[in-house]
């Protein structure tokens, strides 16, 4: 393994360890037991099948939003307005969810496709303005949040 690759792995691990230590210090200064706090955190996220499902359900939008920002950044753009795209996608999915009475096998994919299309349309606006009129994407996406 090359030194650069090892550094790319160790830096995030070291950051997480430092975050855990900083959190423990804050808990100690506040008069709380860090072991009990982190135990409750782990049990609340992974202690039961239901909790695992809830953790996945709640964390998925953040992961997808992070991937959207990372993808845009890799192409040299700054997608500051990913929150707006996420909200518009959620709105489209909810609209499909409450407007149609369909079997689950059709309803779920339809809601997902509607959310993806709505988010893509919301992201198309700053993309079009950047490509056509050279308007800076950060300004437009901030205004669209």
């Amino acid at each position: 393994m090359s030194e650069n690759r090892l550094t790319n792995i160790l830096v995030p691990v070291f950051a997480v360890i430092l975050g855990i230590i900083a959190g423990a210090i804050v808990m100690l200064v506040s008069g709380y037991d860090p072991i009990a706090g982190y135990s409750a955190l782990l049990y609340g996220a992974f202690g039961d099948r239901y909790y695992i499902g809830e953790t996945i359900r709640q964390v998925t939008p953040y992961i997808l939003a992070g991937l959207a920002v990372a993808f845009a950044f890799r192409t040299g753009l700054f997608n500051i307005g990913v929150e707006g795209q996420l909200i518009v996608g959620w709105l489209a999915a909810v609209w499909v969810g409450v407007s149609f009475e369909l079997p689950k096998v059709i309803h779920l994919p339809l809601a997902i496709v509607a959310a993806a299309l709505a988010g893509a349309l919301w992201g198309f606006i700053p993309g079009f303005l950047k490509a056509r009129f050279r308007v800076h994407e950060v300004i437009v996406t901030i205004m669209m949040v």
Side-chain angles (χ1 to χ4, degrees):
M1 188 181 304
S2 71
E3 184 178 324
N4 191 24
R5 181 170 246 183
L6 184 63
T7 302
N8 288 341
I9 293 171
L10 288 179
V11 167
V13 169
F14 189 63
V16 168
I17 291 170
L18 282 178
I20 290 171
I21 292 170
I25 291 170
V26 168
M27 283 188 258
L28 282 172
V29 169
S30 301
Y32 294 101
D33 179 19
I35 302 297
Y38 285 126
S39 296
L41 176 72
L42 288 174
Y43 181 78
F46 307 110
D48 190 49
R49 268 183 26 197
Y50 175 78
Y51 296 147
I52 293 170
E54 279 297 299
T55 300
I56 292 169
R57 181 188 65 80
Q58 289 183 6
V59 101
T60 299
Y62 297 117
I63 292 171
L64 294 175
L67 288 172
V69 171
F71 179 77
F73 186 71
R74 293 286 292 193
T75 64
L77 300 171
F78 296 101
N79 189 1
I80 303 297
V82 75
E83 181 184 359
Q85 293 169 322
L86 195 64
I87 291 170
V88 169
W90 274 337
L91 181 65
V94 168
W95 178 77
V96 168
V98 298
S99 297
F100 300 104
E101 293 291 330
L102 299 168
K104 288 181 196 177
V105 73
I106 296 171
H107 208 155
L108 182 60
L110 182 64
I112 292 171
V113 168
L117 288 175
L121 182 63
W122 199 251
F124 172 78
I125 297 168
F128 175 76
L129 292 173
K130 170 85 173 179
R132 181 82 170 124
F133 302 110
R134 296 188 180 162
V135 177
H136 201 279
E137 70 273 9
V138 172
I139 304 302
V140 177
T141 54
I142 286 174
M143 289 191 303
M144 292 180 67
V145 172

